[in-house]
PDB file of all heavy atoms in Angstrom:
ATOM      1  N   ASP Z  30    -117.888  90.538  70.308  1.00 62.00           N
ATOM      2  CA  ASP Z  30    -116.597  90.961  70.869  1.00 62.00           C
ATOM      3  C   ASP Z  30    -115.899  91.984  69.978  1.00 62.00           C
ATOM      4  O   ASP Z  30    -115.169  92.875  70.522  1.00 62.00           O
ATOM      5  CB  ASP Z  30    -115.655  89.754  71.079  1.00 62.00           C
ATOM      6  CG  ASP Z  30    -116.248  88.813  72.144  1.00 62.00           C
ATOM      7  OD1 ASP Z  30    -117.033  89.235  73.021  1.00 62.00           O
ATOM      8  OD2 ASP Z  30    -115.823  87.672  72.079  1.00 62.00           O
ATOM      9  N   ASP Z  31    -116.098  91.954  68.715  1.00 63.00           N
ATOM     10  CA  ASP Z  31    -115.421  92.824  67.779  1.00 63.00           C
ATOM     11  C   ASP Z  31    -116.139  94.052  67.501  1.00 63.00           C
ATOM     12  O   ASP Z  31    -115.604  94.996  66.827  1.00 63.00           O
ATOM     13  CB  ASP Z  31    -115.123  92.036  66.440  1.00 63.00           C
ATOM     14  CG  ASP Z  31    -114.127  90.937  66.617  1.00 63.00           C
ATOM     15  OD1 ASP Z  31    -113.494  90.890  67.598  1.00 63.00           O
ATOM     16  OD2 ASP Z  31    -114.024  90.134  65.606  1.00 63.00           O
ATOM     17  N   ILE Z  32    -117.340  94.270  67.981  1.00 63.00           N
ATOM     18  CA  ILE Z  32    -118.110  95.468  67.661  1.00 63.00           C
ATOM     19  C   ILE Z  32    -117.348  96.683  68.188  1.00 63.00           C
ATOM     20  O   ILE Z  32    -117.245  97.724  67.482  1.00 63.00           O
ATOM     21  CB  ILE Z  32    -119.531  95.331  68.235  1.00 63.00           C
ATOM     22  CG1 ILE Z  32    -120.388  94.440  67.319  1.00 63.00           C
ATOM     23  CG2 ILE Z  32    -120.226  96.703  68.341  1.00 63.00           C
ATOM     24  CD1 ILE Z  32    -121.796  94.249  67.883  1.00 63.00           C
ATOM     25  N   PRO Z  33    -116.865  96.805  69.405  1.00 63.00           N
ATOM     26  CA  PRO Z  33    -116.105  97.969  69.838  1.00 63.00           C
ATOM     27  C   PRO Z  33    -114.926  98.261  68.936  1.00 63.00           C
ATOM     28  O   PRO Z  33    -114.672  99.479  68.607  1.00 63.00           O
ATOM     29  CB  PRO Z  33    -115.654  97.626  71.206  1.00 63.00           C
ATOM     30  CG  PRO Z  33    -116.567  96.562  71.772  1.00 63.00           C
ATOM     31  CD  PRO Z  33    -116.902  95.745  70.512  1.00 63.00           C
ATOM     32  N   THR Z  34    -114.198  97.240  68.442  1.00 66.00           N
ATOM     33  CA  THR Z  34    -113.098  97.457  67.538  1.00 66.00           C
ATOM     34  C   THR Z  34    -113.586  98.065  66.262  1.00 66.00           C
ATOM     35  O   THR Z  34    -112.944  99.045  65.685  1.00 66.00           O
ATOM     36  CB  THR Z  34    -112.367  96.140  67.262  1.00 66.00           C
ATOM     37  OG1 THR Z  34    -111.909  95.551  68.521  1.00 66.00           O
ATOM     38  CG2 THR Z  34    -111.154  96.362  66.361  1.00 66.00           C
ATOM     39  N   TYR Z  35    -114.706  97.477  65.696  1.00 64.00           N
ATOM     40  CA  TYR Z  35    -115.272  98.116  64.518  1.00 64.00           C
ATOM     41  C   TYR Z  35    -115.636  99.610  64.632  1.00 64.00           C
ATOM     42  O   TYR Z  35    -115.358 100.431  63.828  1.00 64.00           O
ATOM     43  CB  TYR Z  35    -116.481  97.352  64.071  1.00 64.00           C
ATOM     44  CG  TYR Z  35    -116.260  95.997  63.560  1.00 64.00           C
ATOM     45  CD1 TYR Z  35    -117.103  94.848  63.816  1.00 64.00           C
ATOM     46  CD2 TYR Z  35    -115.068  95.689  62.767  1.00 64.00           C
ATOM     47  CE1 TYR Z  35    -116.907  93.597  63.254  1.00 64.00           C
ATOM     48  CE2 TYR Z  35    -114.852  94.422  62.281  1.00 64.00           C
ATOM     49  CZ  TYR Z  35    -115.764  93.406  62.460  1.00 64.00           C
ATOM     50  OH  TYR Z  35    -115.529  92.167  61.973  1.00 64.00           O
ATOM     51  N   VAL Z  36    -116.256  99.847  65.816  1.00 63.00           N
ATOM     52  CA  VAL Z  36    -116.708 101.245  65.995  1.00 63.00           C
ATOM     53  C   VAL Z  36    -115.468 102.149  66.112  1.00 63.00           C
ATOM     54  O   VAL Z  36    -115.483 103.261  65.559  1.00 63.00           O
ATOM     55  CB  VAL Z  36    -117.615 101.278  67.306  1.00 63.00           C
ATOM     56  CG1 VAL Z  36    -117.881 102.823  67.555  1.00 63.00           C
ATOM     57  CG2 VAL Z  36    -118.869 100.547  67.042  1.00 63.00           C
ATOM     58  N   GLN Z  37    -114.461 101.741  66.836  1.00 64.00           N
ATOM     59  CA  GLN Z  37    -113.226 102.519  66.983  1.00 64.00           C
ATOM     60  C   GLN Z  37    -112.587 102.796  65.656  1.00 64.00           C
ATOM     61  O   GLN Z  37    -112.175 103.883  65.354  1.00 64.00           O
ATOM     62  CB  GLN Z  37    -112.240 101.825  67.894  1.00 64.00           C
ATOM     63  CG  GLN Z  37    -110.986 102.621  68.198  1.00 64.00           C
ATOM     64  CD  GLN Z  37    -111.318 103.911  68.928  1.00 64.00           C
ATOM     65  OE1 GLN Z  37    -112.218 103.959  69.800  1.00 64.00           O
ATOM     66  NE2 GLN Z  37    -110.563 104.979  68.660  1.00 64.00           N
ATOM     67  N   SER Z  38    -112.464 101.754  64.742  1.00 66.00           N
ATOM     68  CA  SER Z  38    -111.895 101.923  63.450  1.00 66.00           C
ATOM     69  C   SER Z  38    -112.735 102.805  62.604  1.00 66.00           C
ATOM     70  O   SER Z  38    -112.167 103.594  61.745  1.00 66.00           O
ATOM     71  CB  SER Z  38    -111.730 100.586  62.768  1.00 66.00           C
ATOM     72  OG  SER Z  38    -113.007  99.905  62.519  1.00 66.00           O
ATOM     73  N   LEU Z  39    -114.070 102.782  62.731  1.00 62.00           N
ATOM     74  CA  LEU Z  39    -114.967 103.678  61.984  1.00 62.00           C
ATOM     75  C   LEU Z  39    -114.740 105.144  62.374  1.00 62.00           C
ATOM     76  O   LEU Z  39    -114.724 106.058  61.527  1.00 62.00           O
ATOM     77  CB  LEU Z  39    -116.435 103.286  62.189  1.00 62.00           C
ATOM     78  CG  LEU Z  39    -116.919 102.102  61.379  1.00 62.00           C
ATOM     79  CD1 LEU Z  39    -118.360 101.758  61.762  1.00 62.00           C
ATOM     80  CD2 LEU Z  39    -116.955 102.445  59.853  1.00 62.00           C
ATOM     81  N   LEU Z  59    -120.275 103.878  73.285  1.00 67.00           N
ATOM     82  CA  LEU Z  59    -120.337 102.412  73.257  1.00 67.00           C
ATOM     83  C   LEU Z  59    -119.563 101.840  74.439  1.00 67.00           C
ATOM     84  O   LEU Z  59    -119.991 100.910  75.080  1.00 67.00           O
ATOM     85  CB  LEU Z  59    -119.863 101.872  71.954  1.00 67.00           C
ATOM     86  CG  LEU Z  59    -119.959 100.348  71.765  1.00 67.00           C
ATOM     87  CD1 LEU Z  59    -121.349  99.852  71.803  1.00 67.00           C
ATOM     88  CD2 LEU Z  59    -119.348  99.983  70.412  1.00 67.00           C
TER      89      LEU Z  59
END
Side-chain angles (χ1 to χ4, degrees):
D30 294 337
D31 290 348
I32 285 179
T34 304
Y35 287 146
V36 174
Q37 184 64 35
S38 63
L39 281 173
L59 182 62

